[in-house]
Amino acid sequence: MSPDARRDAFNGDAYPYLRAATAGLRHHSRAQGAIDEPSASSRAHLDALHAHLTALHRLVDQAADRTRPERPAAGRHLATAHARLWQAADSVHAAFHLVPAAAEDEKCQPDRLPEGPPFLTICQRHLAAVHAIRRKTTAADLAS
């Protein structure tokens, strides 16, 4: 990495989309906390959270792959974070299927949706994450 690229990375200019996603999460967390009545998370909320976790899972996986050859200890820590993100995404996926479907989900007509019914999109995303985690992580690593 060139000195200019490192300087930009430290200034935060290298990752504008990641900063925007983090700001969006902060805003959503504040908005959720501002609601007076406690309510259970909806399937749409859990689906969006799962999408964010799996995207972050891929990002940490790429960072671990790039870091490991040059800095093995840091790469191991990133690999651990990669496994923990998978565990979080797996738990959110399980919670999604335990939340009852809303009335609009019951009226869903999959033939009108090019990506299939909404509940399948989270399962397809989760299946892709399963393949990624199984290539690089053992069952013992995930259980620890």
Side-chain angles (χ1 to χ4, degrees), residues 34-58:
I35 298 174
D36 291 336
E37 60 185 56
S39 63
S41 292
S42 67
R43 286 182 123 196
H45 181 249
L46 292 175
D47 184 30
L49 186 58
H50 185 269
H52 190 78
L53 283 170
T54 53
L56 193 55
H57 179 258
R58 284 190 307 270

Side-chain angles (χ1 to χ4, degrees), residues 1 10 14 20 46 50 53 56 62 68 80-81 90-91 95 104-105 109 111 116 118-119 127 132 139:
M1 183 182 272
F10 288 125
L46 292 175
H50 185 269
L53 283 170
L56 193 55
Q62 291 171 354
R68 193 173 294 121
T80 301
D90 191 42
S91 294
E104 62 269 8
D105 287 345
Q109 297 184 358
D111 55 330
F119 66 89
L127 188 58

Side-chain angles (χ1 to χ4, degrees), residues 109-134:
Q109 297 184 358
D111 55 330
R112 294 187 182 174
L113 298 171
E115 66 276 1
F119 66 89
L120 287 181
T121 57
I122 188 173
C123 294
Q124 290 169 347
R125 183 184 327 115
H126 195 69
L127 188 58
V130 166
H131 289 300
I133 195 74
R134 293 290 180 199

Side-chain angles (χ1 to χ4, degrees), residues 13 21 41 58 63 66 96 104 128 144:
D13 296 333
S41 292
R58 284 190 307 270
R66 290 180 183 152
F96 174 88
E104 62 269 8
S144 66

Side-chain angles (χ1 to χ4, degrees), residues 3-25:
D4 290 335
R6 284 190 182 130
R7 185 189 70 242
D8 289 343
F10 288 125
N11 290 334
D13 296 333
Y15 308 104
Y17 297 116
L18 190 55
R19 281 195 334 270
T22 302
L25 282 174

